[in-house]
Amino acid sequence: PSGGSGAYAYRWEFKPSGSDTIIQIDNNSGLLIPSSASEIPPSVSTTGSYTVYIYEGSLNNPCPSLKKEISITLVDSNSTYIPDNNFEQYLIDNGYDDILDDYVLTDNIVGIEEINYTHGGIKSLEGVQDFTELKRLVLFNYPDFVTDVNFADLQSRIDAGLKNDIQVADLSNNKKLVYVSLGRNISLESINVNGLTELIGLVLEGCINLPSVDLGTNTKLQWLDLGFNNKITEVDLTNLQELGHLSFRATSNLNSLDISNNDKIVDLD
């Protein structure tokens, strides 16, 4: 800090989230206030969730002023952080993990080629970026409910934890994905499939709160289902020259659809 006189220091206090137990306090004259949670003292190596309190004041001041509060998660470099308990339980049930502790050894999951889970309860896909060999991702709700989509019933099942309720799906690091089905995840607001050049099938039917999807790099896409969507108003299909099946059934707010560049479409719903 500038101005005044005397020695100043920045003090770090590390506390496990929800606890008053202090892990470490450092007093270092001239230490800068960190701009992000990554700028933590290297001596703190315990994995887990923490709240960091950063104070500024005179070295002799027993009551320094709080300058910043940061929530951080420290992860073992050999592990993948899986905060969703239902997602991790799926990995445990399939022999890829053994303890429900928000972490899985990365080496145990990098070779997984398929995730197929329709039993419900998954709210976060955080950690999926480390499934680098993943080819099929199926988290479709109501796979047995084909002819009539009862969204009120689906919402009640989500509220009861019986169905998947994913809001964000960033799959951009899963470069080998061939097929993705997140149908009827009615809370889905964002999906990133950028760079998935091997993707052939994408099912987002019934994702009624999804406002848009960028398909510009998915040039091998053959099957696209965006039916029963209330928010999508336009989709650019220009680069999807392999597209054969296209569904916008009951997509009520779609303003227009240009398929002049999609000569291989044989099934338009």
Side-chain angles (χ1 to χ4, degrees):
S2 60
S5 61
Y8 283 80
Y10 294 100
R11 188 174 79 184
W12 299 66
E13 290 187 1
F14 286 79
K15 300 178 183 179
S17 296
S19 171
D20 290 329
T21 303
I22 296 176
I23 298 298
Q24 176 173 334
I25 298 178
D26 282 340
N27 287 282
N28 297 311
S29 179
L31 179 67
L32 296 176
I33 296 177
S35 60
S36 69
S38 63
E39 298 180 16
I40 61 174
S43 56
V44 178
S45 59
T46 304
T47 61
S49 297
Y50 296 88
T51 301
V52 182
Y53 302 95
I54 304 167
Y55 299 89
E56 176 191 58
S58 168
L59 290 173
N60 298 320
N61 185 355
C63 299
S65 60
L66 180 64
K67 299 298 292 184
K68 185 175 289 190
E69 180 178 329
I70 305 175
S71 296
I72 64 171
T73 299
L74 303 183
V75 182
D76 187 320
S77 60
N78 297 315
S79 298
T80 294
Y81 181 48
I82 308 286
D84 189 291
N85 285 345
N86 289 301
F87 189 8
E88 187 179 9
Q89 188 61 53
Y90 168 83
L91 297 175
I92 292 172
D93 293 344
N94 286 275
Y96 301 112
D97 197 8
D98 54 1
I99 301 174
L100 193 65
D101 61 356
D102 294 341
Y103 299 94
V104 60
L105 287 175
T106 305
D107 284 347
N108 290 354
I109 61 172
V110 292
I112 294 177
E113 295 187 356
E114 179 172 0
I115 294 176
N116 192 330
Y117 186 75
T118 58
H119 296 87
I122 293 180
K123 295 180 180 294
S124 170
L125 285 178
E126 186 169 353
V128 76
Q129 70 278 355
D130 286 344
F131 292 68
T132 52
E133 296 296 314
L134 194 62
K135 294 181 179 178
R136 290 177 55 86
L137 176 63
V138 180
L139 296 170
F140 194 96
N141 283 331
Y142 267 4
D144 56 336
F145 209 69
V146 178
T147 58
D148 182 25
V149 182
N150 187 334
F151 290 113
D153 189 16
L154 180 55
Q155 181 64 66
S156 68
R157 286 173 175 256
I158 286 175
D159 292 340
L162 301 176
K163 289 296 174 183
N164 299 312
D165 187 23
I166 298 161
Q167 292 184 324
V168 177
D170 185 352
L171 307 176
S172 57
N173 199 53
N174 306 100
K175 303 298 185 183
K176 296 187 178 182
L177 273 171
V178 174
Y179 180 76
V180 173
S181 176
L182 298 178
R184 300 171 190 177
N185 277 272
I186 64 177
S187 296
L188 187 67
E189 297 179 351
S190 173
I191 183 169
N192 185 355
V193 291
N194 186 50
L196 304 189
T197 57
E198 300 301 313
L199 192 64
I200 292 176
L202 180 61
V203 177
L204 298 172
E205 177 228 341
C207 296
I208 59 176
N209 286 299
L210 182 67
S212 63
V213 56
D214 184 352
L215 305 171
T217 60
N218 311 120
T219 56
K220 291 186 179 180
L221 200 64
Q222 298 177 19
W223 184 289
L224 177 62
D225 191 340
L226 293 172
F228 294 94
N229 184 295
N230 295 334
K231 290 194 173 181
I232 287 182
T233 58
E234 60 181 359
V235 178
D236 186 354
L237 306 177
T238 304
N239 293 337
L240 308 185
Q241 298 182 23
E242 300 299 316
L243 198 61
H245 171 90
L246 178 62
S247 177
F248 281 97
R249 182 163 57 110
T251 303
S252 56
N253 290 320
L254 189 67
N255 293 328
S256 62
L257 184 64
D258 183 359
I259 58 172
S260 60
N261 205 40
N262 311 104
D263 297 336
K264 294 186 178 181
I265 292 180
V266 295
D267 185 11
L268 179 59
D269 183 6

